[in-house]
Amino acid sequence: MTTPTLLVLDAEPLPRLGRLAGRVRIEHADGSTLAERLPHADVLLVWDFTSHAVRRAWPGEGPRPRWVHTASAGVDHLLCPELAASDTVVTNARGVFDGPIAEYVAGLVLAFAKDLPRTLRLQRERTWLHRETRRVAGTRACVVGSGPIGRAVAGTLEALGVRTALVGRAARDGVHGPEDLDRLLARADWVVAAAPLTEETRGMFDARRFGLMQPSAHFVNVGRGELVVEDALVRAVRDRWIAGAALDVFTAEPLAGGSPLWELDGVVVSPHMSGDTVGWRDELAAQFVELYELWEAGRPLENVVDKRRGYVPGH
Amino acid sequence: MTTPTLLVLDAEPLPRLGRLAGRVRIEHADGSTLAERLPHADVLLVWDFTSHAVRRAWPGEGPRPRWVHTASAGVDHLLCPELAASDTVVTNARGVFDGPIAEYVAGLVLAFAKDLPRTLRLQRERTWLHRETRRVAGTRACVVGSGPIGRAVAGTLEALGVRTALVGRAARDGVHGPEDLDRLLARADWVVAAAPLTEETRGMFDARRFGLMQPSAHFVNVGRGELVVEDALVRAVRDRWIAGAALDVFTAEPLAGGSPLWELDGVVVSPHMSGDTVGWRDELAAQFVELYELWEAGRPLENVVDKRRGYVPGH
């Protein structure tokens, strides 16, 4: 058997693939060389998960990798129709980000409830101003996205006493279907977007849906920027349809310096880092190495994406 | 039976004692009139729990209230030797602040782990700067104070996966004694002060104890400012003996405008409000009314403070 070729769509720092040394020929590509190298690769590791190069470079016909793995939970940046239609297997980093993102959401929910951004603002002015803040226990959350991230978010919020409803693509045990979404949004104190970006979810948080929410509600986006109609969100916060938002993802990243979101009262902007805790890159690399060993042994891969749906179908 | 006299040491807004109307003669006092009115009162409600007037005004001899209730968890502001030696019963607001304070501590722990203060700072500069943050699950907390507040803090942190050790006045089931404190401080990621202020706890967080902590550790004070030697804390944060602190209580409140704590990098200053969630005043008043009805019926009071120890002895 010839040594397989693993092509890595690079980002700094490079992945630690130590255990694979000698068992695989590792080649590297960036956006400009990917198209030329893809046909000769057996496996593609999309280490630069911010790149959309795979969509552009994927060969329509002829030789192509049999397996593509992306070091991200979302696969929206690589799923082009040709890849979706091919017999190439796509896997993702399911599992790595769940706990970190759940903690990030809990932290932002608590920060809003305890008025922490204002506390920090008053501190800068050396102003002692007592306020009454909110309990989190007993409030209601609506978490949109019932995959591992959404479920981890729900579990952590419930551990804090928040009554949490999960909304998925279809109703199932413990998960509401889309038909319940509007009703759940209307009574939620916290609306969390943790869904994959698909044709069904793109722009789902629009003016109408922000209009359903309570003026005291906060919106938290840890999914994808394109789940949200950003202009509608800006207006909803500015006009106090909702109380505020914590946004870790944006339609265009990095967020443009001129975006009104940076300075909108009640909005917290973070740079797409909610899932990235110390050691995350090593964890992503280790996860790929484990999958590689399954692939090498001819065993079924885990975290296989349903390319038609755009995510790994859940339990 | 003559109508009992309830003297209220006032603060705005006044307590809602509606249910007691007609059953008790309500009189009011402030710091300047307390000494004159105390001898004629059967019951004293210390509604202004920021005042130290009771210590000054408590009669050494002669008539005095048979019962003093304070609308606070701590009793350090009223326990003078004469009151401690008398047969007057002292009760506190045990139970009202546990959940709110636990949420506040969890919120600050998450904010530090997720680097939220810096996120907000970068946002003001419209700077997109990805960082790796910390998991909270798997870290270690040392909560000093094993009363209801300390136990609620521990419970909430444990719900987030934090391995939490409680330290109390004496070792008992699930609680470490003071002999374990230094060892626990040395390995904690989060040190939470939630102890009552007594002669044993005053100044317990001093230069030596901050010196035991890890450079990555954060200190959270939701107990009393005097638990801490404030100068030592300032130096510990400034010299990076510890990574930071969230302080809701201070030796002198409001915190003086000239205190270095306001601008110390890594320190969050909040104005003694961690337990004060919407409705807290009504809850405090309702708690007093319930205790009053026990007292009126000649039944044993709840939340009775051990005046020698300075807190309500625990389970």
Side-chain angles (χ1 to χ4, degrees):
Chain A
M1 177 184 161
T2 59
T3 307
T5 298
L6 166 65
L7 183 64
V8 181
L9 180 57
D10 278 350
E12 291 295 335
L14 295 177
R16 288 200 211 172
L17 303 173
R19 220 156 82 199
L20 299 188
R23 290 151 66 183
V24 60
R25 182 184 316 114
I26 300 179
E27 298 192 350
H28 298 270
D30 59 20
S32 66
T33 56
L34 186 68
E36 163 202 335
R37 297 190 184 167
L38 259 183
H40 313 295
D42 297 291
V43 178
L44 173 66
L45 167 59
V46 182
W47 188 245
D48 181 0
F49 49 81
T50 69
S51 165
H52 288 247
V54 178
R55 283 176 169 279
R56 292 192 304 268
W58 192 259
E61 300 276 323
R64 60 179 83 91
R66 285 167 285 160
W67 170 34
V68 175
H69 176 79
T70 177
S72 60
V75 294
D76 47 285
H77 56 299
L78 54 85
L79 274 192
C80 55
E82 295 77 12
L83 173 51
S86 74
D87 57 1
T88 293
V89 173
V90 174
T91 57
N92 76 354
R94 180 183 176 97
V96 172
F97 301 103
D98 312 355
I101 291 180
E103 289 184 353
Y104 171 90
V105 172
L108 270 293
V109 161
L110 283 164
F112 284 131
K114 305 304 168 188
D115 207 19
L116 184 58
R118 190 162 177 223
T119 294
L120 296 172
R121 220 150 52 225
L122 290 164
Q123 182 177 347
R124 287 205 309 280
E125 301 161 3
R126 297 181 174 239
T127 300
W128 180 278
L129 182 65
H130 182 276
R131 290 102 65 208
E132 294 180 358
T133 62
R134 293 163 72 190
R135 281 302 303 265
V136 158
T139 59
R140 288 175 197 268
C142 173
V143 177
V144 180
S146 60
I149 293 174
R151 290 204 307 276
V153 168
T156 301
L157 292 179
E158 275 168 7
L160 293 170
V162 179
R163 294 143 75 188
T164 304
L166 264 176
V167 181
R169 189 165 177 271
R172 59 185 195 275
D173 196 31
V175 177
H176 294 266
E179 64 279 7
D180 290 342
L181 177 60
D182 289 357
R183 183 174 58 78
L184 292 166
L185 290 180
R187 66 181 198 187
D189 299 292
W190 320 102
V191 175
V192 182
L197 180 63
T198 66
E199 284 319 304
E200 282 165 340
T201 62
R202 185 181 302 274
M204 66 180 294
F205 292 100
D206 56 9
R208 186 184 72 78
R209 288 221 163 93
F210 288 120
L212 294 174
M213 297 181 198
Q214 302 186 90
S216 58
H218 284 83
F219 176 70
V220 181
N221 191 359
V222 289
R224 283 288 181 266
E226 296 95 325
L227 299 174
V228 176
V229 179
E230 243 166 44
D231 288 349
L233 173 59
V234 168
R235 249 192 332 267
V237 175
R238 191 176 277 157
D239 298 348
R240 294 290 151 209
W241 292 10
I242 65 174
L247 308 172
D248 191 52
V249 289
F250 303 88
T251 305
E253 296 178 8
L255 182 63
S259 168
L261 289 169
W262 288 109
E263 291 196 346
L264 204 51
D265 190 32
V267 170
V268 174
V269 168
S270 56
H272 201 147
M273 63 180 221
S274 71
D276 307 344
T277 46
V278 173
W280 67 297
R281 287 195 177 88
D282 288 343
E283 214 174 322
L284 287 170
Q287 182 184 50
F288 173 74
V289 169
E290 282 180 31
L291 287 173
Y292 186 88
E293 289 176 343
L294 291 177
W295 184 80
E296 187 182 45
R299 296 175 55 199
L301 286 172
E302 293 168 355
N303 294 5
V304 174
V305 171
D306 179 326
K307 293 184 289 179
R308 197 172 39 81
R309 294 186 183 175
Y311 55 88
V312 179
H315 312 286
Chain B
M1 176 185 161
T2 60
T3 307
T5 298
L6 166 64
L7 182 63
V8 181
L9 180 56
D10 278 350
E12 292 295 337
L14 295 177
R16 288 200 210 172
L17 303 173
R19 220 156 80 200
L20 299 188
R23 289 152 65 183
V24 59
R25 182 184 316 114
I26 299 178
E27 298 192 350
H28 298 270
D30 59 20
S32 66
T33 56
L34 186 66
E36 162 201 337
R37 297 188 186 169
L38 259 183
H40 314 294
D42 297 291
V43 178
L44 172 67
L45 167 58
V46 182
W47 188 246
D48 180 1
F49 49 81
T50 69
S51 165
H52 287 246
V54 179
R55 282 176 170 277
R56 293 192 303 268
W58 192 258
E61 300 277 321
R64 60 179 83 91
R66 284 167 285 158
W67 169 34
V68 175
H69 177 79
T70 177
S72 60
V75 294
D76 47 284
H77 56 298
L78 54 85
L79 274 191
C80 55
E82 294 79 11
L83 173 51
S86 74
D87 58 1
T88 293
V89 174
V90 174
T91 57
N92 76 354
R94 181 183 175 97
V96 171
F97 301 102
D98 311 356
I101 292 181
E103 290 184 353
Y104 172 89
V105 172
L108 269 294
V109 161
L110 283 164
F112 284 133
K114 304 305 168 189
D115 208 18
L116 184 59
R118 190 161 177 225
T119 294
L120 296 172
R121 220 151 52 226
L122 289 164
Q123 181 178 348
R124 288 205 307 281
E125 303 162 2
R126 296 180 175 239
T127 300
W128 180 275
L129 182 65
H130 182 276
R131 290 103 66 210
E132 294 179 358
T133 62
R134 292 163 72 190
R135 281 302 304 266
V136 158
T139 59
R140 287 175 197 270
C142 173
V143 178
V144 180
S146 60
I149 293 174
R151 290 204 306 276
V153 168
T156 301
L157 292 179
E158 275 168 8
L160 293 170
V162 178
R163 294 142 76 189
T164 304
L166 263 176
V167 182
R169 189 166 177 271
R172 58 185 197 275
D173 196 30
V175 177
H176 294 266
E179 63 280 7
D180 290 342
L181 177 61
D182 289 356
R183 182 173 59 77
L184 292 167
L185 290 180
R187 66 182 197 186
D189 300 292
W190 320 101
V191 175
V192 182
L197 179 64
T198 67
E199 284 319 304
E200 282 165 342
T201 62
R202 185 181 302 274
M204 67 181 293
F205 293 99
D206 56 8
R208 186 184 74 77
R209 288 221 163 93
F210 288 120
L212 293 173
M213 298 181 197
Q214 303 186 87
S216 58
H218 284 83
F219 176 70
V220 181
N221 192 359
V222 289
R224 282 289 180 266
E226 296 94 327
L227 299 174
V228 176
V229 178
E230 243 167 43
D231 289 348
L233 173 60
V234 168
R235 250 195 328 272
V237 174
R238 191 177 277 156
D239 298 348
R240 295 289 150 210
W241 292 10
I242 65 174
L247 307 172
D248 191 52
V249 289
F250 303 88
T251 304
E253 297 178 8
L255 182 63
S259 168
L261 289 169
W262 288 109
E263 291 197 347
L264 204 50
D265 190 33
V267 170
V268 174
V269 168
S270 56
H272 201 147
M273 63 181 220
S274 70
D276 306 343
T277 46
V278 173
W280 67 296
R281 286 193 178 89
D282 288 342
E283 214 175 322
L284 287 170
Q287 182 185 50
F288 173 74
V289 170
E290 282 181 30
L291 287 172
Y292 186 88
E293 290 176 342
L294 290 177
W295 183 81
E296 187 181 46
R299 295 175 55 199
L301 286 171
E302 292 169 356
N303 294 5
V304 175
V305 171
D306 180 326
K307 293 185 289 180
R308 196 172 40 80
R309 294 187 183 174
Y311 54 89
V312 180
H315 310 287

